[in-house]
Amino acid sequence: MPSKTFVPAFEARVGNWKYYSCLMSYAAVAREINFAHELGGNQDLGTMIQRGVGSRTTDITNYLLTNENRFLGAIIVAAWGGAPEYIPLEMEKSPDNGDVLSGMDRNFGVLTFDGTHQFFALDGQHRLRAIKDAVKRNPELGREDITVIVVPHFDDEAGRRRTRRLFTNINRNAVKTTAQENIALDEDDGFAILTRRLLDDHEFLGRQGTVQVFSKVGNDGELRLATRQVGVSGTAWTTIGVLYDLVTELGFGLHESMNKTSQRATDDVLDESYEIIAQRLDELLSACGDMRDRYESHAAPKDLRAPKARDGEGHPFMRPAVQIQIARAARHISDQGLLPWPELLKRLHELDWRMTAAPFSVVWQETPEAARKGKMVTAKENGQALYELLLAHLAPNSKSQIERALRNYRTVKNGERYPISGEELMRRLPAAAEFN
């Protein structure tokens, strides 16, 4: 007779489902719970449920093995063969605790894993694979606990249909955290941590309104985090999502642990990285058209972005789409060693910081029906063209690179010639690359 495993559980009901909420050790999970494709004769469910358990589990496994703050959400499993044996229990009451414990043992009991059922994951396959792998590498992890929700599964047509419906409902209705929510909450991603610290501690970025954090604050308390665009009438310099991207792009040359988003860097590394990133941002804010000074001295920052009736005179570095491409170009130039950082800042400062000026005009479109009006062009190909033109202006490495940038400009601007000649841009070429 197979040995039995007893786990504490609450019996519960929702809709037309009876289920059990259990507390199981990682060791018991690794031993008792399987993947659908491992269950004999279950090809139907195996095809439905097994959704690429693979490389993604490596990050979760490493998280379990290395992160002291590790925590995994509940796994939902189906009990192959119907409802498992459930034994209700009552708490012993006394005159001293009777009132306190009254009703606390409602639906409380023990679920029996005795080998007569098989259990497969409906939700949490990657977590299950990571637990199995982590416990093999470090058996001590087997003592840790996770919540497991068990639902009965019956091996007939009605049972299979019912379980399929449950699986699709779970995955269709699950709401994943957004990228912006991860920035606001993640305690392992070093760049998210630095982004929040800049909002708290940086003299300019931490000032109320400089970085748009929320796009909506409802009367009933609902919040919506800002994405990647500042509102037309907004006064912010950028948004929390774009600031995170800027921090990430400017994070070149930092300690390697900063790139491990599932494992928090040490406090010393975070402190050192913050000082470097903050300084680079300060220097960019100065080099890019004296952005910070102009923002702080301007009565209405939104007019700095788009002066009334003179939109094209607006400051490009007030536009998130431009900010991203400048950070991308700065990273590429630094990673490739094309230009020392101080010289890069000097060349940025020499650009004409108006939306109608090159190279920023590639993401700007004049509005024919309204003189001196215009709008941003946020298409992906225009952003890429701006990136390549920035490289051509700041640190080109070959004649062909410059020519490619000019061709891309003509393509996205419907045949319009770039206002700066290729010969002039080639003066930026290093001597060794002039004849490439």
PDB file of all heavy atoms in Angstrom, residues 113-148:
ATOM      1  N   PHE A 113      -3.108  12.502   0.587  1.00  0.00           N
ATOM      2  CA  PHE A 113      -2.445  12.081  -0.656  1.00  0.00           C
ATOM      3  C   PHE A 113      -1.962  10.650  -0.416  1.00  0.00           C
ATOM      4  O   PHE A 113      -0.985  10.429   0.324  1.00  0.00           O
ATOM      5  CB  PHE A 113      -1.263  12.994  -0.974  1.00  0.00           C
ATOM      6  CG  PHE A 113      -1.653  14.383  -1.390  1.00  0.00           C
ATOM      7  CD1 PHE A 113      -2.150  15.295  -0.475  1.00  0.00           C
ATOM      8  CD2 PHE A 113      -1.514  14.799  -2.709  1.00  0.00           C
ATOM      9  CE1 PHE A 113      -2.511  16.576  -0.853  1.00  0.00           C
ATOM     10  CE2 PHE A 113      -1.865  16.079  -3.104  1.00  0.00           C
ATOM     11  CZ  PHE A 113      -2.373  16.966  -2.175  1.00  0.00           C
ATOM     12  N   ASP A 114      -2.678   9.686  -0.983  1.00  0.00           N
ATOM     13  CA  ASP A 114      -2.376   8.285  -0.660  1.00  0.00           C
ATOM     14  C   ASP A 114      -1.960   7.461  -1.868  1.00  0.00           C
ATOM     15  O   ASP A 114      -1.888   6.232  -1.804  1.00  0.00           O
ATOM     16  CB  ASP A 114      -3.584   7.629   0.023  1.00  0.00           C
ATOM     17  CG  ASP A 114      -4.833   7.622  -0.867  1.00  0.00           C
ATOM     18  OD1 ASP A 114      -4.727   8.092  -2.024  1.00  0.00           O
ATOM     19  OD2 ASP A 114      -5.884   7.168  -0.401  1.00  0.00           O
ATOM     20  N   GLY A 115      -1.712   8.112  -2.989  1.00  0.00           N
ATOM     21  CA  GLY A 115      -1.277   7.384  -4.171  1.00  0.00           C
ATOM     22  C   GLY A 115      -2.402   6.922  -5.060  1.00  0.00           C
ATOM     23  O   GLY A 115      -2.157   6.404  -6.159  1.00  0.00           O
ATOM     24  N   THR A 116      -3.657   7.092  -4.624  1.00  0.00           N
ATOM     25  CA  THR A 116      -4.783   6.655  -5.455  1.00  0.00           C
ATOM     26  C   THR A 116      -5.205   7.736  -6.434  1.00  0.00           C
ATOM     27  O   THR A 116      -5.999   7.484  -7.338  1.00  0.00           O
ATOM     28  CB  THR A 116      -5.993   6.272  -4.581  1.00  0.00           C
ATOM     29  OG1 THR A 116      -6.393   7.413  -3.809  1.00  0.00           O
ATOM     30  CG2 THR A 116      -5.629   5.131  -3.648  1.00  0.00           C
ATOM     31  N   HIS A 117      -4.706   8.941  -6.243  1.00  0.00           N
ATOM     32  CA  HIS A 117      -4.961  10.038  -7.165  1.00  0.00           C
ATOM     33  C   HIS A 117      -3.641  10.506  -7.762  1.00  0.00           C
ATOM     34  O   HIS A 117      -2.569  10.304  -7.180  1.00  0.00           O
ATOM     35  CB  HIS A 117      -5.617  11.229  -6.447  1.00  0.00           C
ATOM     36  CG  HIS A 117      -7.006  10.974  -5.987  1.00  0.00           C
ATOM     37  ND1 HIS A 117      -7.284  10.278  -4.834  1.00  0.00           N
ATOM     38  CD2 HIS A 117      -8.206  11.319  -6.528  1.00  0.00           C
ATOM     39  CE1 HIS A 117      -8.599  10.219  -4.673  1.00  0.00           C
ATOM     40  NE2 HIS A 117      -9.182  10.835  -5.686  1.00  0.00           N
ATOM     41  N   GLN A 118      -3.756  11.118  -8.897  1.00  0.00           N
ATOM     42  CA  GLN A 118      -2.617  11.830  -9.460  1.00  0.00           C
ATOM     43  C   GLN A 118      -2.991  13.297  -9.572  1.00  0.00           C
ATOM     44  O   GLN A 118      -4.157  13.632  -9.812  1.00  0.00           O
ATOM     45  CB  GLN A 118      -2.252  11.266 -10.839  1.00  0.00           C
ATOM     46  CG  GLN A 118      -1.645   9.877 -10.790  1.00  0.00           C
ATOM     47  CD  GLN A 118      -1.332   9.369 -12.184  1.00  0.00           C
ATOM     48  OE1 GLN A 118      -2.237   9.094 -12.971  1.00  0.00           O
ATOM     49  NE2 GLN A 118      -0.046   9.246 -12.494  1.00  0.00           N
ATOM     50  N   PHE A 119      -1.996  14.159  -9.402  1.00  0.00           N
ATOM     51  CA  PHE A 119      -2.260  15.596  -9.384  1.00  0.00           C
ATOM     52  C   PHE A 119      -1.425  16.268 -10.472  1.00  0.00           C
ATOM     53  O   PHE A 119      -0.225  16.003 -10.596  1.00  0.00           O
ATOM     54  CB  PHE A 119      -1.912  16.176  -8.010  1.00  0.00           C
ATOM     55  CG  PHE A 119      -2.728  15.600  -6.887  1.00  0.00           C
ATOM     56  CD1 PHE A 119      -2.328  14.421  -6.265  1.00  0.00           C
ATOM     57  CD2 PHE A 119      -3.898  16.216  -6.464  1.00  0.00           C
ATOM     58  CE1 PHE A 119      -3.084  13.868  -5.235  1.00  0.00           C
ATOM     59  CE2 PHE A 119      -4.649  15.668  -5.444  1.00  0.00           C
ATOM     60  CZ  PHE A 119      -4.254  14.497  -4.828  1.00  0.00           C
ATOM     61  N   PHE A 120      -2.078  17.109 -11.274  1.00  0.00           N
ATOM     62  CA  PHE A 120      -1.339  17.811 -12.320  1.00  0.00           C
ATOM     63  C   PHE A 120      -1.675  19.302 -12.277  1.00  0.00           C
ATOM     64  O   PHE A 120      -2.775  19.696 -11.875  1.00  0.00           O
ATOM     65  CB  PHE A 120      -1.616  17.218 -13.703  1.00  0.00           C
ATOM     66  CG  PHE A 120      -3.059  17.250 -14.141  1.00  0.00           C
ATOM     67  CD1 PHE A 120      -3.577  18.373 -14.778  1.00  0.00           C
ATOM     68  CD2 PHE A 120      -3.876  16.150 -13.941  1.00  0.00           C
ATOM     69  CE1 PHE A 120      -4.894  18.399 -15.190  1.00  0.00           C
ATOM     70  CE2 PHE A 120      -5.201  16.172 -14.359  1.00  0.00           C
ATOM     71  CZ  PHE A 120      -5.711  17.300 -14.982  1.00  0.00           C
ATOM     72  N   ALA A 121      -0.731  20.101 -12.685  1.00  0.00           N
ATOM     73  CA  ALA A 121      -0.863  21.557 -12.569  1.00  0.00           C
ATOM     74  C   ALA A 121      -1.773  22.114 -13.652  1.00  0.00           C
ATOM     75  O   ALA A 121      -1.570  21.863 -14.835  1.00  0.00           O
ATOM     76  CB  ALA A 121       0.515  22.215 -12.662  1.00  0.00           C
ATOM     77  N   LEU A 122      -2.798  22.863 -13.220  1.00  0.00           N
ATOM     78  CA  LEU A 122      -3.619  23.638 -14.145  1.00  0.00           C
ATOM     79  C   LEU A 122      -3.039  25.039 -14.338  1.00  0.00           C
ATOM     80  O   LEU A 122      -3.131  25.611 -15.404  1.00  0.00           O
ATOM     81  CB  LEU A 122      -5.041  23.770 -13.601  1.00  0.00           C
ATOM     82  CG  LEU A 122      -5.986  22.582 -13.736  1.00  0.00           C
ATOM     83  CD1 LEU A 122      -7.315  22.918 -13.080  1.00  0.00           C
ATOM     84  CD2 LEU A 122      -6.196  22.211 -15.194  1.00  0.00           C
ATOM     85  N   ASP A 123      -2.494  25.587 -13.272  1.00  0.00           N
ATOM     86  CA  ASP A 123      -1.901  26.924 -13.322  1.00  0.00           C
ATOM     87  C   ASP A 123      -0.678  26.913 -12.419  1.00  0.00           C
ATOM     88  O   ASP A 123      -0.747  26.464 -11.284  1.00  0.00           O
ATOM     89  CB  ASP A 123      -2.901  27.980 -12.840  1.00  0.00           C
ATOM     90  CG  ASP A 123      -2.331  29.382 -12.896  1.00  0.00           C
ATOM     91  OD1 ASP A 123      -2.031  29.847 -14.004  1.00  0.00           O
ATOM     92  OD2 ASP A 123      -2.164  30.003 -11.826  1.00  0.00           O
ATOM     93  N   GLY A 124       0.447  27.391 -12.953  1.00  0.00           N
ATOM     94  CA  GLY A 124       1.684  27.404 -12.167  1.00  0.00           C
ATOM     95  C   GLY A 124       2.686  26.363 -12.632  1.00  0.00           C
ATOM     96  O   GLY A 124       3.540  25.924 -11.863  1.00  0.00           O
ATOM     97  N   GLN A 125       2.616  25.978 -13.944  1.00  0.00           N
ATOM     98  CA  GLN A 125       3.516  24.955 -14.452  1.00  0.00           C
ATOM     99  C   GLN A 125       4.980  25.364 -14.317  1.00  0.00           C
ATOM    100  O   GLN A 125       5.837  24.548 -13.974  1.00  0.00           O
ATOM    101  CB  GLN A 125       3.213  24.654 -15.926  1.00  0.00           C
ATOM    102  CG  GLN A 125       1.780  24.277 -16.218  1.00  0.00           C
ATOM    103  CD  GLN A 125       0.959  25.479 -16.637  1.00  0.00           C
ATOM    104  OE1 GLN A 125       0.769  26.387 -15.841  1.00  0.00           O
ATOM    105  NE2 GLN A 125       0.474  25.488 -17.864  1.00  0.00           N
ATOM    106  N   HIS A 126       5.276  26.651 -14.606  1.00  0.00           N
ATOM    107  CA  HIS A 126       6.667  27.115 -14.517  1.00  0.00           C
ATOM    108  C   HIS A 126       7.151  27.109 -13.062  1.00  0.00           C
ATOM    109  O   HIS A 126       8.293  26.745 -12.778  1.00  0.00           O
ATOM    110  CB  HIS A 126       6.794  28.519 -15.115  1.00  0.00           C
ATOM    111  CG  HIS A 126       6.509  28.577 -16.579  1.00  0.00           C
ATOM    112  ND1 HIS A 126       5.249  28.835 -17.080  1.00  0.00           N
ATOM    113  CD2 HIS A 126       7.309  28.387 -17.655  1.00  0.00           C
ATOM    114  CE1 HIS A 126       5.302  28.818 -18.403  1.00  0.00           C
ATOM    115  NE2 HIS A 126       6.526  28.544 -18.772  1.00  0.00           N
ATOM    116  N   ARG A 127       6.262  27.495 -12.144  1.00  0.00           N
ATOM    117  CA  ARG A 127       6.632  27.449 -10.721  1.00  0.00           C
ATOM    118  C   ARG A 127       6.867  26.012 -10.273  1.00  0.00           C
ATOM    119  O   ARG A 127       7.797  25.730  -9.511  1.00  0.00           O
ATOM    120  CB  ARG A 127       5.524  28.099  -9.884  1.00  0.00           C
ATOM    121  CG  ARG A 127       5.585  29.616  -9.849  1.00  0.00           C
ATOM    122  CD  ARG A 127       4.288  30.225  -9.350  1.00  0.00           C
ATOM    123  NE  ARG A 127       3.300  30.278 -10.409  1.00  0.00           N
ATOM    124  CZ  ARG A 127       1.990  30.411 -10.215  1.00  0.00           C
ATOM    125  NH1 ARG A 127       1.514  30.479  -8.987  1.00  0.00           N
ATOM    126  NH2 ARG A 127       1.166  30.466 -11.232  1.00  0.00           N
ATOM    127  N   LEU A 128       6.012  25.093 -10.740  1.00  0.00           N
ATOM    128  CA  LEU A 128       6.170  23.685 -10.381  1.00  0.00           C
ATOM    129  C   LEU A 128       7.501  23.149 -10.885  1.00  0.00           C
ATOM    130  O   LEU A 128       8.238  22.483 -10.142  1.00  0.00           O
ATOM    131  CB  LEU A 128       5.008  22.874 -10.959  1.00  0.00           C
ATOM    132  CG  LEU A 128       5.097  21.357 -10.787  1.00  0.00           C
ATOM    133  CD1 LEU A 128       5.158  20.979  -9.319  1.00  0.00           C
ATOM    134  CD2 LEU A 128       3.912  20.679 -11.485  1.00  0.00           C
ATOM    135  N   ARG A 129       7.838  23.423 -12.153  1.00  0.00           N
ATOM    136  CA  ARG A 129       9.111  22.950 -12.702  1.00  0.00           C
ATOM    137  C   ARG A 129      10.284  23.538 -11.917  1.00  0.00           C
ATOM    138  O   ARG A 129      11.257  22.829 -11.612  1.00  0.00           O
ATOM    139  CB  ARG A 129       9.200  23.382 -14.172  1.00  0.00           C
ATOM    140  CG  ARG A 129      10.497  23.044 -14.894  1.00  0.00           C
ATOM    141  CD  ARG A 129      10.569  21.573 -15.260  1.00  0.00           C
ATOM    142  NE  ARG A 129      11.117  20.731 -14.206  1.00  0.00           N
ATOM    143  CZ  ARG A 129      10.936  19.431 -14.121  1.00  0.00           C
ATOM    144  NH1 ARG A 129      10.208  18.813 -15.027  1.00  0.00           N
ATOM    145  NH2 ARG A 129      11.464  18.740 -13.137  1.00  0.00           N
ATOM    146  N   ALA A 130      10.183  24.822 -11.562  1.00  0.00           N
ATOM    147  CA  ALA A 130      11.266  25.460 -10.821  1.00  0.00           C
ATOM    148  C   ALA A 130      11.415  24.854  -9.431  1.00  0.00           C
ATOM    149  O   ALA A 130      12.538  24.645  -8.949  1.00  0.00           O
ATOM    150  CB  ALA A 130      11.008  26.965 -10.721  1.00  0.00           C
ATOM    151  N   ILE A 131      10.299  24.543  -8.773  1.00  0.00           N
ATOM    152  CA  ILE A 131      10.356  23.924  -7.445  1.00  0.00           C
ATOM    153  C   ILE A 131      11.025  22.559  -7.532  1.00  0.00           C
ATOM    154  O   ILE A 131      11.899  22.218  -6.726  1.00  0.00           O
ATOM    155  CB  ILE A 131       8.941  23.812  -6.840  1.00  0.00           C
ATOM    156  CG1 ILE A 131       8.430  25.199  -6.441  1.00  0.00           C
ATOM    157  CG2 ILE A 131       8.934  22.869  -5.633  1.00  0.00           C
ATOM    158  CD1 ILE A 131       6.967  25.215  -6.025  1.00  0.00           C
ATOM    159  N   LYS A 132      10.616  21.756  -8.513  1.00  0.00           N
ATOM    160  CA  LYS A 132      11.225  20.430  -8.670  1.00  0.00           C
ATOM    161  C   LYS A 132      12.731  20.546  -8.894  1.00  0.00           C
ATOM    162  O   LYS A 132      13.527  19.798  -8.298  1.00  0.00           O
ATOM    163  CB  LYS A 132      10.568  19.697  -9.844  1.00  0.00           C
ATOM    164  CG  LYS A 132       9.134  19.214  -9.582  1.00  0.00           C
ATOM    165  CD  LYS A 132       8.540  18.576 -10.826  1.00  0.00           C
ATOM    166  CE  LYS A 132       7.133  18.047 -10.583  1.00  0.00           C
ATOM    167  NZ  LYS A 132       7.112  16.791  -9.835  1.00  0.00           N
ATOM    168  N   ASP A 133      13.143  21.476  -9.756  1.00  0.00           N
ATOM    169  CA  ASP A 133      14.572  21.628 -10.050  1.00  0.00           C
ATOM    170  C   ASP A 133      15.331  22.176  -8.844  1.00  0.00           C
ATOM    171  O   ASP A 133      16.452  21.730  -8.552  1.00  0.00           O
ATOM    172  CB  ASP A 133      14.763  22.561 -11.250  1.00  0.00           C
ATOM    173  CG  ASP A 133      14.246  21.950 -12.552  1.00  0.00           C
ATOM    174  OD1 ASP A 133      14.035  20.723 -12.575  1.00  0.00           O
ATOM    175  OD2 ASP A 133      14.055  22.705 -13.528  1.00  0.00           O
ATOM    176  N   ALA A 134      14.737  23.134  -8.145  1.00  0.00           N
ATOM    177  CA  ALA A 134      15.428  23.764  -7.018  1.00  0.00           C
ATOM    178  C   ALA A 134      15.607  22.786  -5.864  1.00  0.00           C
ATOM    179  O   ALA A 134      16.662  22.764  -5.219  1.00  0.00           O
ATOM    180  CB  ALA A 134      14.658  25.005  -6.565  1.00  0.00           C
ATOM    181  N   VAL A 135      14.586  21.975  -5.601  1.00  0.00           N
ATOM    182  CA  VAL A 135      14.685  21.005  -4.500  1.00  0.00           C
ATOM    183  C   VAL A 135      15.747  19.950  -4.793  1.00  0.00           C
ATOM    184  O   VAL A 135      16.446  19.483  -3.884  1.00  0.00           O
ATOM    185  CB  VAL A 135      13.302  20.366  -4.240  1.00  0.00           C
ATOM    186  CG1 VAL A 135      13.423  19.166  -3.301  1.00  0.00           C
ATOM    187  CG2 VAL A 135      12.349  21.398  -3.661  1.00  0.00           C
ATOM    188  N   LYS A 136      15.902  19.585  -6.068  1.00  0.00           N
ATOM    189  CA  LYS A 136      16.973  18.641  -6.417  1.00  0.00           C
ATOM    190  C   LYS A 136      18.349  19.239  -6.110  1.00  0.00           C
ATOM    191  O   LYS A 136      19.251  18.544  -5.633  1.00  0.00           O
ATOM    192  CB  LYS A 136      16.892  18.295  -7.905  1.00  0.00           C
ATOM    193  CG  LYS A 136      15.780  17.336  -8.267  1.00  0.00           C
ATOM    194  CD  LYS A 136      15.801  17.041  -9.759  1.00  0.00           C
ATOM    195  CE  LYS A 136      14.656  16.125 -10.172  1.00  0.00           C
ATOM    196  NZ  LYS A 136      14.657  15.892 -11.636  1.00  0.00           N
ATOM    197  N   ARG A 137      18.505  20.514  -6.398  1.00  0.00           N
ATOM    198  CA  ARG A 137      19.810  21.160  -6.201  1.00  0.00           C
ATOM    199  C   ARG A 137      20.055  21.543  -4.751  1.00  0.00           C
ATOM    200  O   ARG A 137      21.203  21.594  -4.305  1.00  0.00           O
ATOM    201  CB  ARG A 137      19.908  22.386  -7.108  1.00  0.00           C
ATOM    202  CG  ARG A 137      19.977  22.014  -8.589  1.00  0.00           C
ATOM    203  CD  ARG A 137      19.752  23.180  -9.506  1.00  0.00           C
ATOM    204  NE  ARG A 137      20.736  24.244  -9.314  1.00  0.00           N
ATOM    205  CZ  ARG A 137      20.744  25.376 -10.009  1.00  0.00           C
ATOM    206  NH1 ARG A 137      19.814  25.582 -10.943  1.00  0.00           N
ATOM    207  NH2 ARG A 137      21.670  26.291  -9.784  1.00  0.00           N
ATOM    208  N   ASN A 138      18.981  21.821  -4.028  1.00  0.00           N
ATOM    209  CA  ASN A 138      19.122  22.168  -2.611  1.00  0.00           C
ATOM    210  C   ASN A 138      17.960  21.544  -1.845  1.00  0.00           C
ATOM    211  O   ASN A 138      16.903  22.159  -1.683  1.00  0.00           O
ATOM    212  CB  ASN A 138      19.129  23.680  -2.425  1.00  0.00           C
ATOM    213  CG  ASN A 138      19.281  24.080  -0.955  1.00  0.00           C
ATOM    214  OD1 ASN A 138      19.509  23.223  -0.093  1.00  0.00           O
ATOM    215  ND2 ASN A 138      19.140  25.367  -0.669  1.00  0.00           N
ATOM    216  N   PRO A 139      18.136  20.313  -1.348  1.00  0.00           N
ATOM    217  CA  PRO A 139      17.042  19.625  -0.651  1.00  0.00           C
ATOM    218  C   PRO A 139      16.493  20.393   0.545  1.00  0.00           C
ATOM    219  O   PRO A 139      15.338  20.169   0.934  1.00  0.00           O
ATOM    220  CB  PRO A 139      17.694  18.303  -0.217  1.00  0.00           C
ATOM    221  CG  PRO A 139      18.802  18.087  -1.203  1.00  0.00           C
ATOM    222  CD  PRO A 139      19.328  19.460  -1.505  1.00  0.00           C
ATOM    223  N   GLU A 140      17.288  21.301   1.129  1.00  0.00           N
ATOM    224  CA  GLU A 140      16.801  22.076   2.270  1.00  0.00           C
ATOM    225  C   GLU A 140      15.587  22.916   1.910  1.00  0.00           C
ATOM    226  O   GLU A 140      14.747  23.223   2.756  1.00  0.00           O
ATOM    227  CB  GLU A 140      17.920  22.974   2.808  1.00  0.00           C
ATOM    228  CG  GLU A 140      19.016  22.236   3.552  1.00  0.00           C
ATOM    229  CD  GLU A 140      18.468  21.556   4.807  1.00  0.00           C
ATOM    230  OE1 GLU A 140      17.741  22.220   5.582  1.00  0.00           O
ATOM    231  OE2 GLU A 140      18.752  20.363   5.003  1.00  0.00           O
ATOM    232  N   LEU A 141      15.485  23.308   0.639  1.00  0.00           N
ATOM    233  CA  LEU A 141      14.321  24.076   0.210  1.00  0.00           C
ATOM    234  C   LEU A 141      13.032  23.286   0.342  1.00  0.00           C
ATOM    235  O   LEU A 141      11.946  23.857   0.387  1.00  0.00           O
ATOM    236  CB  LEU A 141      14.485  24.520  -1.246  1.00  0.00           C
ATOM    237  CG  LEU A 141      15.428  25.685  -1.529  1.00  0.00           C
ATOM    238  CD1 LEU A 141      15.569  25.890  -3.039  1.00  0.00           C
ATOM    239  CD2 LEU A 141      14.912  26.966  -0.873  1.00  0.00           C
ATOM    240  N   GLY A 142      13.150  21.956   0.391  1.00  0.00           N
ATOM    241  CA  GLY A 142      11.965  21.117   0.514  1.00  0.00           C
ATOM    242  C   GLY A 142      11.153  21.382   1.758  1.00  0.00           C
ATOM    243  O   GLY A 142       9.978  21.029   1.833  1.00  0.00           O
ATOM    244  N   ARG A 143      11.749  22.048   2.761  1.00  0.00           N
ATOM    245  CA  ARG A 143      11.029  22.342   4.008  1.00  0.00           C
ATOM    246  C   ARG A 143      10.123  23.561   3.886  1.00  0.00           C
ATOM    247  O   ARG A 143       9.289  23.805   4.763  1.00  0.00           O
ATOM    248  CB  ARG A 143      12.023  22.577   5.146  1.00  0.00           C
ATOM    249  CG  ARG A 143      12.978  21.410   5.385  1.00  0.00           C
ATOM    250  CD  ARG A 143      14.020  21.779   6.426  1.00  0.00           C
ATOM    251  NE  ARG A 143      14.960  20.704   6.607  1.00  0.00           N
ATOM    252  CZ  ARG A 143      15.370  20.247   7.786  1.00  0.00           C
ATOM    253  NH1 ARG A 143      14.916  20.799   8.884  1.00  0.00           N
ATOM    254  NH2 ARG A 143      16.237  19.265   7.853  1.00  0.00           N
ATOM    255  N   GLU A 144      10.326  24.353   2.849  1.00  0.00           N
ATOM    256  CA  GLU A 144       9.546  25.579   2.715  1.00  0.00           C
ATOM    257  C   GLU A 144       8.166  25.264   2.152  1.00  0.00           C
ATOM    258  O   GLU A 144       7.924  24.180   1.613  1.00  0.00           O
ATOM    259  CB  GLU A 144      10.309  26.580   1.848  1.00  0.00           C
ATOM    260  CG  GLU A 144      11.668  26.910   2.451  1.00  0.00           C
ATOM    261  CD  GLU A 144      12.365  28.076   1.790  1.00  0.00           C
ATOM    262  OE1 GLU A 144      11.811  28.675   0.835  1.00  0.00           O
ATOM    263  OE2 GLU A 144      13.472  28.428   2.248  1.00  0.00           O
ATOM    264  N   ASP A 145       7.248  26.220   2.288  1.00  0.00           N
ATOM    265  CA  ASP A 145       5.841  25.948   2.034  1.00  0.00           C
ATOM    266  C   ASP A 145       5.277  26.807   0.909  1.00  0.00           C
ATOM    267  O   ASP A 145       5.761  27.901   0.625  1.00  0.00           O
ATOM    268  CB  ASP A 145       5.017  26.214   3.306  1.00  0.00           C
ATOM    269  CG  ASP A 145       5.431  25.312   4.453  1.00  0.00           C
ATOM    270  OD1 ASP A 145       5.523  24.098   4.229  1.00  0.00           O
ATOM    271  OD2 ASP A 145       5.667  25.827   5.571  1.00  0.00           O
ATOM    272  N   ILE A 146       4.207  26.298   0.315  1.00  0.00           N
ATOM    273  CA  ILE A 146       3.472  27.011  -0.714  1.00  0.00           C
ATOM    274  C   ILE A 146       2.003  26.618  -0.617  1.00  0.00           C
ATOM    275  O   ILE A 146       1.677  25.505  -0.175  1.00  0.00           O
ATOM    276  CB  ILE A 146       4.028  26.703  -2.122  1.00  0.00           C
ATOM    277  CG1 ILE A 146       3.390  27.612  -3.170  1.00  0.00           C
ATOM    278  CG2 ILE A 146       3.837  25.234  -2.471  1.00  0.00           C
ATOM    279  CD1 ILE A 146       4.039  27.507  -4.550  1.00  0.00           C
ATOM    280  N   THR A 147       1.129  27.524  -0.996  1.00  0.00           N
ATOM    281  CA  THR A 147      -0.294  27.208  -1.032  1.00  0.00           C
ATOM    282  C   THR A 147      -0.617  26.465  -2.327  1.00  0.00           C
ATOM    283  O   THR A 147      -0.178  26.866  -3.406  1.00  0.00           O
ATOM    284  CB  THR A 147      -1.139  28.492  -0.951  1.00  0.00           C
ATOM    285  OG1 THR A 147      -0.888  29.138   0.297  1.00  0.00           O
ATOM    286  CG2 THR A 147      -2.623  28.177  -1.064  1.00  0.00           C
ATOM    287  N   VAL A 148      -1.367  25.395  -2.197  1.00  0.00           N
ATOM    288  CA  VAL A 148      -1.799  24.614  -3.357  1.00  0.00           C
ATOM    289  C   VAL A 148      -3.318  24.519  -3.318  1.00  0.00           C
ATOM    290  O   VAL A 148      -3.906  24.162  -2.292  1.00  0.00           O
ATOM    291  CB  VAL A 148      -1.173  23.202  -3.353  1.00  0.00           C
ATOM    292  CG1 VAL A 148      -1.725  22.373  -4.502  1.00  0.00           C
ATOM    293  CG2 VAL A 148       0.342  23.298  -3.432  1.00  0.00           C
TER     294      VAL A 148
END
